[in-house]
Amino acid sequence: MPFVTADDGAQIFYKDWGTDGTPVLLSHGWPLNADAWESTARYLAEHGHRAIAHDRRGHGRSTQTWHGNEMDTYADDLACLIDALDLADLTLVGHSTGGGEVVHYVGRHGTARVAKLVLVSAVPPLMLRSDDNPEGLPVEVFDEIRAGEAANRSQLYRDLADGPFFGHNRNDVAQGFRDAFWLQSMACGHRAAFECIAAFSATDFRPDLDKVDIPTLVVHGDDDQIVPFEVGGKRSAEMVEGAVLKVYEGSGHALPDTDRDRLHTDLLEFINA
């Protein structure tokens, strides 16, 4: 299996599908791994693109390091992968926590190698409520997730999959999607999953969004129960000059699964434009 070595020696697993077409790098949500993007990666590769998806450190098949489970290191690991593969004219696509990762990459490493940016149900600009972010979510929301992670993470993942992540508490979602969420989540290291809750909720991505100078597509469901539209996609689109906002009416958080065909069409149209 292919790996790249991060600056501290951590091994970062990745998939590299397709041929020599324009590259697209897909970054996954918490606490999943590259498999969360496999349908999209296959679709893009079958439509002439090179599709790359990695397991964030601590997740899936990458090294479960004790340190570095925060956004600065995630973004630097992504830079190691992009540099190692010598990717250029790249489209970065991030779902949920992955949206934070790709935006933070732009903030720390610039857009010399990146042509376009796509944020799907993404956590930027800032999920946590604070004095200068009164629209955010209260810390108790994330404390409850941390408590569930510490007490019985297997049950937490089942509850998320059977509830707000896919919107199964409102509309039936296939058992297979929910099973895949649990399976991928259990492959994440316990410490990595716990620490990543702070990374996706408390990292302030507003300075990173200020540095985005490339065409950007923001896709968000207006019934997202994990990253509410008003907290995430709506505000990110307002902050990036010229960003295209697509709102999926009635859709929840897991757009790569629940709204797969529509998302694939929108992605391909944006990447090929």
Side-chain angles (χ1 to χ4, degrees), residues 30-116:
W30 173 91
L32 305 175
N33 56 57
D35 294 350
W37 278 118
E38 61 184 5
S39 292
T40 303
R42 190 187 72 173
Y43 176 85
L44 293 172
E46 289 175 344
H47 285 76
H49 293 280
R50 180 182 179 185
I52 301 115
H54 71 301
D55 291 356
R56 189 172 302 121
R57 73 167 53 212
H59 297 63
R61 291 138 290 201
S62 293
T63 305
Q64 294 188 12
T65 57
W66 188 253
H67 301 289
N69 300 294
E70 32 70 29
M71 279 293 165
D72 285 356
T73 303
Y74 295 159
D76 293 349
D77 289 348
L78 196 61
C80 284
L81 174 61
I82 291 170
D83 291 346
L85 299 182
D86 195 22
L87 300 176
D89 196 24
L90 173 67
T91 297
L92 286 174
V93 182
H95 173 241
S96 194
T97 297
E101 184 177 55
V102 297
V103 165
H104 207 50
Y105 168 85
V106 169
R108 287 174 68 82
H109 299 278
T111 54
R113 291 182 176 274
V114 185
K116 296 180 180 178

Coordinates of all heavy atoms in Angstrom, one line a residue, residues 30-116:
W30 N -14.3 13.7 10.0 CA -14.0 13.0 11.3 C -15.1 11.9 11.5 O -16.3 12.2 11.3 CB -14.1 14.0 12.4 CG -14.0 13.4 13.8 CD1 -12.8 13.1 14.5 CD2 -15.1 12.9 14.7 NE1 -13.1 12.6 15.8 CE2 -14.5 12.4 15.9 CE3 -16.5 12.9 14.5 CZ2 -15.3 11.9 16.9 CZ3 -17.2 12.3 15.5 CH2 -16.6 11.9 16.7
P31 N -14.7 10.8 12.1 CA -13.4 10.1 12.3 C -13.2 9.1 11.2 O -12.8 8.0 11.6 CB -13.6 9.5 13.7 CG -15.1 9.1 13.7 CD -15.8 10.0 12.8
L32 N -13.4 9.4 10.0 CA -13.5 8.5 8.9 C -12.1 8.4 8.3 O -11.1 8.6 8.9 CB -14.5 8.9 7.9 CG -15.9 9.1 8.5 CD1 -16.9 9.7 7.4 CD2 -16.5 7.8 9.0
N33 N -12.0 7.9 7.0 CA -10.7 7.8 6.3 C -11.0 7.9 4.8 O -12.1 8.2 4.4 CB -10.0 6.5 6.7 CG -10.8 5.3 6.5 OD1 -11.3 5.0 5.3 ND2 -11.0 4.4 7.5
A34 N -10.0 7.6 4.0 CA -10.1 7.8 2.6 C -11.3 7.0 2.0 O -11.8 7.4 0.9 CB -8.8 7.4 1.9
D35 N -11.7 5.9 2.6 CA -12.7 5.1 2.1 C -14.1 5.9 2.0 O -14.9 5.5 1.2 CB -13.0 3.8 2.9 CG -11.8 2.9 2.9 OD1 -10.9 3.1 2.1 OD2 -11.8 2.0 3.7
A36 N -14.2 6.9 2.8 CA -15.4 7.7 2.7 C -15.6 8.4 1.4 O -16.7 8.8 1.0 CB -15.4 8.8 3.8
W37 N -14.5 8.5 0.6 CA -14.5 9.2 -0.7 C -14.4 8.2 -1.8 O -14.3 8.6 -3.0 CB -13.4 10.2 -0.8 CG -13.6 11.5 -0.2 CD1 -12.8 12.1 0.8 CD2 -14.5 12.5 -0.5 NE1 -13.3 13.3 1.1 CE2 -14.3 13.7 0.3 CE3 -15.5 12.6 -1.5 CZ2 -15.1 14.8 0.2 CZ3 -16.3 13.8 -1.6 CH2 -16.1 14.9 -0.8
E38 N -14.5 6.9 -1.6 CA -14.2 6.0 -2.7 C -15.1 6.0 -3.9 O -14.7 5.9 -5.0 CB -14.1 4.5 -2.1 CG -15.4 4.0 -1.6 CD -15.2 2.6 -1.0 OE1 -14.1 2.1 -1.0 OE2 -16.2 2.0 -0.6
S39 N -16.4 6.3 -3.6 CA -17.3 6.4 -4.8 C -17.0 7.6 -5.6 O -17.0 7.6 -6.8 CB -18.8 6.4 -4.3 OG -19.1 5.2 -3.8
T40 N -16.7 8.7 -4.9 CA -16.4 10.0 -5.6 C -15.0 9.8 -6.4 O -14.9 10.3 -7.5 CB -16.3 11.1 -4.6 OG1 -17.6 11.2 -4.0 CG2 -16.0 12.5 -5.3
A41 N -14.1 9.2 -5.7 CA -12.8 9.0 -6.3 C -12.9 8.1 -7.6 O -12.3 8.4 -8.6 CB -11.8 8.3 -5.4
R42 N -13.7 7.1 -7.5 CA -13.9 6.2 -8.7 C -14.6 7.0 -9.8 O -14.2 7.0 -11.0 CB -14.7 5.0 -8.3 CG -14.8 4.0 -9.4 CD -15.7 2.9 -9.1 NE -17.1 3.3 -9.2 CZ -18.2 2.5 -9.1 NH1 -18.0 1.2 -8.9 NH2 -19.4 3.0 -9.2
Y43 N -15.6 7.8 -9.4 CA -16.3 8.6 -10.4 C -15.4 9.6 -11.1 O -15.4 9.7 -12.4 CB -17.5 9.4 -9.7 CG -18.2 10.3 -10.6 CD1 -19.3 9.8 -11.4 CD2 -17.9 11.7 -10.7 CE1 -20.0 10.7 -12.2 CE2 -18.6 12.5 -11.5 CZ -19.7 12.1 -12.2 OH -20.4 12.9 -13.0
L44 N -14.6 10.3 -10.4 CA -13.7 11.3 -11.0 C -12.6 10.6 -11.8 O -12.3 11.1 -12.9 CB -13.0 12.1 -9.9 CG -14.0 13.0 -9.1 CD1 -13.2 13.7 -7.9 CD2 -14.5 14.1 -10.0
A45 N -12.1 9.5 -11.4 CA -11.1 8.8 -12.2 C -11.7 8.2 -13.5 O -11.0 8.3 -14.5 CB -10.5 7.6 -11.3
E46 N -12.9 7.8 -13.4 CA -13.6 7.3 -14.6 C -13.9 8.4 -15.6 O -14.2 8.2 -16.7 CB -14.8 6.5 -14.2 CG -14.5 5.1 -13.6 CD -15.8 4.4 -13.1 OE1 -16.9 5.1 -13.0 OE2 -15.7 3.2 -12.8
H47 N -13.9 9.7 -15.1 CA -14.2 10.8 -15.9 C -12.9 11.6 -16.2 O -12.9 12.8 -16.5 CB -15.2 11.7 -15.3 CG -16.6 11.2 -15.4 ND1 -17.1 10.1 -14.6 CD2 -17.7 11.5 -16.2 CE1 -18.3 9.8 -14.9 NE2 -18.7 10.6 -15.9
G48 N -11.8 10.9 -16.2 CA -10.5 11.5 -16.8 C -9.6 12.2 -15.8 O -8.6 12.8 -16.2
H49 N -9.9 12.1 -14.5 CA -9.1 12.8 -13.5 C -8.3 11.8 -12.7 O -8.6 10.7 -12.6 CB -10.0 13.7 -12.6 CG -10.7 14.8 -13.3 ND1 -10.0 16.0 -13.6 CD2 -11.9 15.0 -13.8 CE1 -10.8 16.8 -14.2 NE2 -12.0 16.2 -14.4
R50 N -7.2 12.4 -12.1 CA -6.4 11.6 -11.1 C -7.0 11.9 -9.7 O -7.0 13.1 -9.3 CB -5.0 12.0 -11.2 CG -4.1 11.3 -10.3 CD -2.6 11.8 -10.4 NE -1.7 11.1 -9.5 CZ -0.4 11.5 -9.3 NH1 0.1 12.5 -10.1 NH2 0.3 10.8 -8.5
A51 N -7.5 10.9 -9.1 CA -8.2 11.1 -7.8 C -7.3 10.5 -6.7 O -7.0 9.4 -6.7 CB -9.6 10.4 -7.8
I52 N -7.0 11.4 -5.7 CA -6.1 11.0 -4.6 C -6.9 11.3 -3.3 O -7.6 12.3 -3.1 CB -4.8 11.9 -4.5 CG1 -4.1 11.7 -5.9 CG2 -4.0 11.5 -3.4 CD1 -3.9 12.9 -6.7
A53 N -6.9 10.3 -2.4 CA -7.5 10.4 -1.1 C -6.6 9.8 0.0 O -6.1 8.7 -0.2 CB -8.9 9.8 -1.1
H54 N -6.4 10.5 1.1 CA -5.5 10.1 2.1 C -6.2 9.8 3.4 O -7.3 10.3 3.6 CB -4.4 11.1 2.3 CG -4.8 12.3 3.0 ND1 -5.8 13.2 2.5 CD2 -4.5 12.9 4.2 CE1 -6.0 14.2 3.3 NE2 -5.2 14.0 4.4
D55 N -5.6 9.0 4.3 CA -6.1 8.8 5.7 C -5.3 9.8 6.5 O -4.1 9.8 6.6 CB -5.8 7.4 6.2 CG -6.6 6.4 5.5 OD1 -7.4 6.7 4.7 OD2 -6.4 5.2 5.8
R56 N -6.0 10.8 7.1 CA -5.4 11.7 8.0 C -4.6 11.0 9.1 O -5.0 9.9 9.5 CB -6.5 12.6 8.7 CG -6.0 13.8 9.5 CD -7.2 14.7 9.8 NE -7.9 15.1 8.6 CZ -9.2 14.8 8.4 NH1 -9.9 14.2 9.3 NH2 -9.7 15.3 7.3
R57 N -3.5 11.5 9.6 CA -2.8 10.8 10.7 C -3.7 10.5 11.9 O -4.7 11.2 12.2 CB -1.6 11.7 11.2 CG -2.0 12.8 12.1 CD -0.8 13.4 12.8 NE 0.4 13.7 11.9 CZ 1.6 13.6 12.2 NH1 2.0 13.3 13.5 NH2 2.6 13.9 11.4
G58 N -3.5 9.3 12.4 CA -4.4 8.8 13.5 C -5.6 8.1 13.0 O -6.4 7.5 13.7
H59 N -5.9 8.3 11.7 CA -7.2 7.7 11.1 C -6.8 6.6 10.1 O -5.8 6.6 9.5 CB -7.9 8.8 10.3 CG -8.4 10.0 11.1 ND1 -7.6 10.8 11.8 CD2 -9.7 10.4 11.3 CE1 -8.3 11.8 12.4 NE2 -9.6 11.6 12.1
G60 N -7.7 5.6 10.1 CA -7.5 4.5 9.1 C -6.2 3.8 9.1 O -5.8 3.3 10.2
R61 N -5.5 3.8 8.0 CA -4.2 3.1 7.9 C -3.0 3.9 8.1 O -1.9 3.4 8.0 CB -4.2 2.5 6.5 CG -5.2 1.4 6.3 CD -5.9 1.4 4.9 NE -6.8 2.5 4.8 CZ -7.8 2.6 4.0 NH1 -8.1 1.6 3.2 NH2 -8.6 3.7 3.9
S62 N -3.2 5.2 8.5 CA -2.0 6.0 8.8 C -1.6 5.8 10.2 O -2.3 5.3 11.0 CB -2.4 7.5 8.5 OG -2.5 7.8 7.2
T63 N -0.4 6.3 10.5 CA 0.2 6.1 11.9 C -0.6 6.8 12.9 O -1.1 7.9 12.8 CB 1.6 6.7 11.9 OG1 2.4 6.1 10.9 CG2 2.3 6.4 13.2
Q64 N -0.8 6.0 14.0 CA -1.6 6.6 15.2 C -0.6 7.3 16.1 O -0.2 6.7 17.1 CB -2.4 5.5 15.9 CG -3.5 4.9 15.0 CD -4.4 4.0 15.8 OE1 -4.3 3.9 17.0 NE2 -5.2 3.3 15.1
T65 N -0.2 8.5 15.7 CA 0.8 9.2 16.6 C 0.1 9.7 17.8 O -1.1 10.0 17.8 CB 1.4 10.4 15.8 OG1 0.3 11.2 15.4 CG2 2.1 9.9 14.6
W66 N 0.9 9.9 18.9 CA 0.4 10.5 20.1 C 0.2 12.0 20.0 O -0.7 12.6 20.5 CB 1.3 10.1 21.3 CG 0.8 10.5 22.6 CD1 1.2 11.6 23.4 CD2 -0.3 9.9 23.3 NE1 0.4 11.6 24.5 CE2 -0.5 10.6 24.5 CE3 -1.1 8.8 23.0 CZ2 -1.5 10.2 25.4 CZ3 -2.1 8.4 23.9 CH2 -2.2 9.1 25.1
H67 N 1.2 12.6 19.3 CA 1.2 14.1 19.1 C 0.7 14.4 17.6 O 0.7 13.5 16.8 CB 2.5 14.6 19.3 CG 3.1 14.4 20.7 ND1 2.5 15.0 21.8 CD2 4.0 13.5 21.2 CE1 3.1 14.5 22.9 NE2 4.1 13.7 22.5
G68 N 0.4 15.6 17.4 CA 0.1 16.1 16.1 C -1.3 15.9 15.6 O -1.6 16.1 14.4
N69 N -2.2 15.7 16.5 CA -3.6 15.5 16.2 C -4.3 16.8 16.2 O -5.3 17.0 17.0 CB -4.3 14.5 17.1 CG -3.6 13.1 17.0 OD1 -3.7 12.4 16.0 ND2 -3.0 12.7 18.1
E70 N -3.8 17.8 15.4 CA -4.4 19.1 15.3 C -4.1 19.7 13.9 O -3.4 19.1 13.1 CB -3.8 20.0 16.4 CG -2.3 19.8 16.8 CD -1.3 20.1 15.7 OE1 -1.6 21.0 14.9 OE2 -0.3 19.5 15.7
M71 N -4.8 20.8 13.6 CA -4.9 21.2 12.2 C -3.6 21.7 11.6 O -3.4 21.5 10.4 CB -5.9 22.4 12.1 CG -7.4 22.0 12.1 SD -7.7 21.1 10.5 CE -9.3 20.3 11.0
D72 N -2.7 22.3 12.4 CA -1.4 22.7 11.8 C -0.7 21.4 11.2 O -0.2 21.5 10.1 CB -0.5 23.3 12.9 CG -0.9 24.8 13.2 OD1 -1.9 25.2 12.6 OD2 -0.3 25.4 14.1
T73 N -0.6 20.4 12.0 CA 0.1 19.2 11.6 C -0.7 18.5 10.4 O -0.1 18.0 9.5 CB 0.3 18.2 12.7 OG1 1.0 18.9 13.8 CG2 1.1 17.0 12.3
Y74 N -2.1 18.5 10.6 CA -2.8 17.9 9.5 C -2.5 18.6 8.1 O -2.3 18.0 7.1 CB -4.3 18.0 9.7 CG -4.9 17.3 10.9 CD1 -6.1 17.6 11.5 CD2 -4.2 16.2 11.4 CE1 -6.6 17.0 12.5 CE2 -4.8 15.5 12.5 CZ -6.0 15.9 13.1 OH -6.5 15.2 14.1
A75 N -2.5 19.9 8.2 CA -2.2 20.7 6.9 C -0.8 20.4 6.4 O -0.5 20.3 5.2 CB -2.4 22.2 7.2
D76 N 0.2 20.3 7.4 CA 1.6 20.1 7.0 C 1.7 18.6 6.4 O 2.5 18.4 5.5 CB 2.5 20.3 8.2 CG 2.5 21.7 8.6 OD1 2.0 22.6 7.9 OD2 3.1 22.0 9.7
D77 N 1.0 17.7 7.0 CA 1.0 16.3 6.4 C 0.4 16.4 5.0 O 1.0 15.7 4.1 CB 0.1 15.4 7.2 CG 0.7 15.0 8.6 OD1 1.9 15.3 8.8 OD2 0.0 14.5 9.4
L78 N -0.6 17.2 4.8 CA -1.2 17.3 3.4 C -0.1 17.9 2.5 O 0.0 17.4 1.3 CB -2.4 18.2 3.5 CG -3.4 18.1 2.3 CD1 -3.9 16.7 2.1 CD2 -4.5 19.1 2.5
A79 N 0.6 18.8 2.9 CA 1.7 19.4 2.1 C 2.7 18.4 1.7 O 3.2 18.4 0.6 CB 2.3 20.6 2.8
C80 N 3.1 17.5 2.7 CA 4.0 16.5 2.4 C 3.5 15.6 1.3 O 4.3 15.2 0.4 CB 4.3 15.6 3.7 SG 5.4 16.4 4.9
L81 N 2.2 15.2 1.3 CA 1.7 14.4 0.3 C 1.7 15.0 -1.0 O 2.1 14.5 -2.1 CB 0.2 14.0 0.7 CG -0.6 13.2 -0.3 CD1 0.1 11.8 -0.6 CD2 -2.0 12.9 0.2
I82 N 1.2 16.3 -1.1 CA 1.1 17.0 -2.3 C 2.5 17.2 -2.9 O 2.7 17.1 -4.1 CB 0.4 18.4 -2.1 CG1 -1.1 18.2 -1.8 CG2 0.6 19.3 -3.3 CD1 -1.8 19.4 -1.3
D83 N 3.5 17.5 -2.1 CA 4.9 17.7 -2.6 C 5.5 16.4 -3.1 O 6.1 16.3 -4.1 CB 5.7 18.3 -1.5 CG 5.4 19.8 -1.2 OD1 4.6 20.4 -2.0 OD2 5.8 20.3 -0.2
A84 N 5.2 15.3 -2.3 CA 5.8 14.0 -2.7 C 5.3 13.5 -4.0 O 6.0 12.9 -4.8 CB 5.5 13.0 -1.6
L85 N 4.0 13.8 -4.3 CA 3.4 13.4 -5.6 C 3.6 14.5 -6.6 O 3.2 14.3 -7.8 CB 1.9 13.1 -5.4 CG 1.5 12.0 -4.4 CD1 0.0 11.8 -4.3 CD2 2.3 10.7 -4.8
D86 N 4.2 15.6 -6.3 CA 4.5 16.7 -7.2 C 3.2 17.1 -7.9 O 3.2 17.3 -9.1 CB 5.5 16.3 -8.2 CG 6.1 17.5 -8.9 OD1 6.0 18.6 -8.4 OD2 6.6 17.3 -10.0
L87 N 2.1 17.3 -7.1 CA 0.8 17.6 -7.7 C 0.8 19.1 -8.1 O 1.3 20.0 -7.3 CB -0.3 17.3 -6.7 CG -0.4 15.9 -6.3 CD1 -1.5 15.7 -5.3 CD2 -0.7 15.0 -7.5
A88 N 0.2 19.5 -9.2 CA 0.0 20.8 -9.6 C -1.3 21.0 -10.3 O -1.9 20.0 -10.7 CB 1.2 21.2 -10.6
D89 N -1.8 22.2 -10.5 CA -3.1 22.5 -11.0 C -4.1 21.6 -10.3 O -5.1 21.1 -10.9 CB -3.1 22.2 -12.5 CG -4.3 22.8 -13.3 OD1 -4.9 23.7 -12.8 OD2 -4.7 22.2 -14.3
L90 N -4.0 21.6 -9.0 CA -4.8 20.6 -8.2 C -6.1 21.2 -7.7 O -6.2 22.4 -7.4 CB -3.9 20.3 -6.9 CG -4.5 19.5 -5.8 CD1 -4.8 18.1 -6.3 CD2 -3.5 19.5 -4.6
T91 N -7.1 20.4 -7.7 CA -8.4 20.8 -7.0 C -8.4 20.1 -5.6 O -8.3 18.9 -5.5 CB -9.6 20.4 -7.8 OG1 -9.6 21.1 -9.1 CG2 -10.9 20.7 -7.1
L92 N -8.6 20.9 -4.6 CA -8.7 20.4 -3.2 C -10.2 20.3 -2.9 O -10.9 21.3 -3.0 CB -8.0 21.3 -2.2 CG -6.5 21.2 -2.2 CD1 -5.9 22.3 -1.2 CD2 -6.0 19.8 -1.7
V93 N -10.6 19.1 -2.4 CA -12.0 18.9 -2.0 C -12.0 18.4 -0.6 O -11.4 17.4 -0.2 CB -12.7 17.9 -2.9 CG1 -14.2 17.8 -2.5 CG2 -12.6 18.3 -4.4
G94 N -12.7 19.1 0.3 CA -12.8 18.7 1.7 C -14.2 18.6 2.2 O -15.0 19.5 2.0
H95 N -14.5 17.4 2.9 CA -15.8 17.2 3.5 C -15.7 17.4 5.0 O -14.8 16.8 5.6 CB -16.4 15.8 3.1 CG -17.7 15.5 3.9 ND1 -17.8 14.5 4.7 CD2 -18.9 16.1 3.9 CE1 -19.0 14.4 5.2 NE2 -19.7 15.4 4.7
S96 N -16.5 18.2 5.6 CA -16.6 18.4 7.0 C -15.3 18.8 7.6 O -14.7 19.8 7.2 CB -17.2 17.1 7.7 OG -17.5 17.3 9.0
T97 N -14.6 17.9 8.5 CA -13.3 18.2 9.0 C -12.3 18.4 7.9 O -11.4 19.2 7.9 CB -12.9 17.1 10.0 OG1 -13.8 17.1 11.1 CG2 -11.5 17.4 10.5
G98 N -12.5 17.6 6.8 CA -11.6 17.7 5.7 C -11.6 19.1 5.0 O -10.6 19.5 4.5
G99 N -12.8 19.8 5.1 CA -12.9 21.1 4.6 C -12.0 22.1 5.4 O -11.4 23.0 4.8
G100 N -11.9 21.8 6.7 CA -11.0 22.6 7.5 C -9.5 22.3 7.2 O -8.7 23.2 7.1
E101 N -9.3 21.1 6.9 CA -7.9 20.7 6.6 C -7.4 21.3 5.3 O -6.3 21.9 5.3 CB -7.8 19.1 6.5 CG -6.4 18.6 6.2 CD -6.5 17.1 6.2 OE1 -7.2 16.5 5.3 OE2 -5.7 16.4 6.9
V102 N -8.2 21.3 4.3 CA -7.8 21.9 3.0 C -7.7 23.4 3.1 O -6.8 24.0 2.4 CB -8.7 21.4 1.8 CG1 -8.6 19.9 1.6 CG2 -10.1 21.9 2.0
V103 N -8.6 24.0 3.8 CA -8.5 25.5 3.9 C -7.3 25.9 4.8 O -6.6 26.9 4.4 CB -9.8 26.0 4.6 CG1 -9.6 27.4 5.1 CG2 -11.0 26.0 3.7
H104 N -7.0 25.1 5.8 CA -5.8 25.4 6.6 C -4.5 25.1 5.8 O -3.5 25.8 6.0 CB -5.8 24.5 7.9 CG -5.1 25.2 9.0 ND1 -5.3 26.5 9.4 CD2 -4.1 24.7 9.8 CE1 -4.5 26.7 10.5 NE2 -3.8 25.6 10.7
Y105 N -4.6 24.2 4.9 CA -3.4 24.0 4.0 C -3.2 25.3 3.1 O -2.1 25.7 3.0 CB -3.7 22.8 3.0 CG -2.7 22.7 1.9 CD1 -1.4 22.1 2.0 CD2 -3.0 23.4 0.7 CE1 -0.5 22.1 1.0 CE2 -2.0 23.3 -0.4 CZ -0.8 22.7 -0.2 OH 0.1 22.7 -1.2
V106 N -4.3 25.8 2.6 CA -4.1 27.0 1.8 C -3.6 28.2 2.7 O -2.7 28.9 2.3 CB -5.5 27.4 1.2 CG1 -5.4 28.9 0.6 CG2 -5.9 26.4 0.1
G107 N -4.0 28.3 3.9 CA -3.6 29.3 4.8 C -2.1 29.2 5.1 O -1.4 30.2 5.3
R108 N -1.6 28.0 5.3 CA -0.2 27.7 5.7 C 0.8 27.6 4.5 O 1.9 27.9 4.6 CB -0.1 26.5 6.6 CG -0.7 26.7 8.0 CD -0.7 25.4 8.8 NE 0.6 24.9 9.1 CZ 1.3 25.4 10.2 NH1 0.9 26.3 10.9 NH2 2.5 24.8 10.5
H109 N 0.3 27.1 3.4 CA 1.2 26.7 2.3 C 0.8 27.4 1.0 O 1.5 27.2 0.0 CB 1.2 25.2 2.1 CG 1.6 24.4 3.3 ND1 3.0 24.3 3.6 CD2 1.0 23.9 4.3 CE1 3.1 23.6 4.7 NE2 1.9 23.3 5.2
G110 N -0.2 28.2 0.9 CA -0.6 29.0 -0.3 C -1.2 28.1 -1.4 O -1.6 27.0 -1.2
T111 N -1.4 28.8 -2.5 CA -2.1 28.1 -3.6 C -1.2 27.9 -4.9 O -1.7 27.8 -6.0 CB -3.3 29.0 -4.0 OG1 -2.9 30.3 -4.3 CG2 -4.4 28.9 -2.9
A112 N 0.1 27.9 -4.7 CA 1.0 27.7 -5.8 C 0.7 26.4 -6.6 O 0.8 26.3 -7.8 CB 2.4 27.7 -5.4
R113 N 0.3 25.4 -5.8 CA 0.0 24.1 -6.5 C -1.5 23.8 -6.7 O -1.9 22.8 -7.2 CB 0.5 22.9 -5.6 CG 2.1 22.8 -5.6 CD 2.5 21.6 -4.8 NE 4.0 21.4 -4.8 CZ 4.6 20.7 -5.7 NH1 3.9 20.2 -6.7 NH2 5.9 20.6 -5.6
V114 N -2.3 24.8 -6.2 CA -3.8 24.5 -6.1 C -4.5 25.5 -7.1 O -4.3 26.7 -7.0 CB -4.3 24.8 -4.7 CG1 -5.8 24.4 -4.6 CG2 -3.5 23.9 -3.7
A115 N -5.4 24.9 -7.9 CA -6.1 25.7 -8.9 C -7.5 26.0 -8.4 O -8.1 27.1 -8.7 CB -6.2 25.0 -10.2
K116 N -8.1 25.1 -7.6 CA -9.5 25.3 -7.2 C -9.7 24.6 -5.9 O -9.0 23.7 -5.5 CB -10.5 24.6 -8.2 CG -10.5 25.3 -9.6 CD -11.4 24.6 -10.6 CE -11.3 25.3 -12.0 NZ -12.2 24.7 -13.0

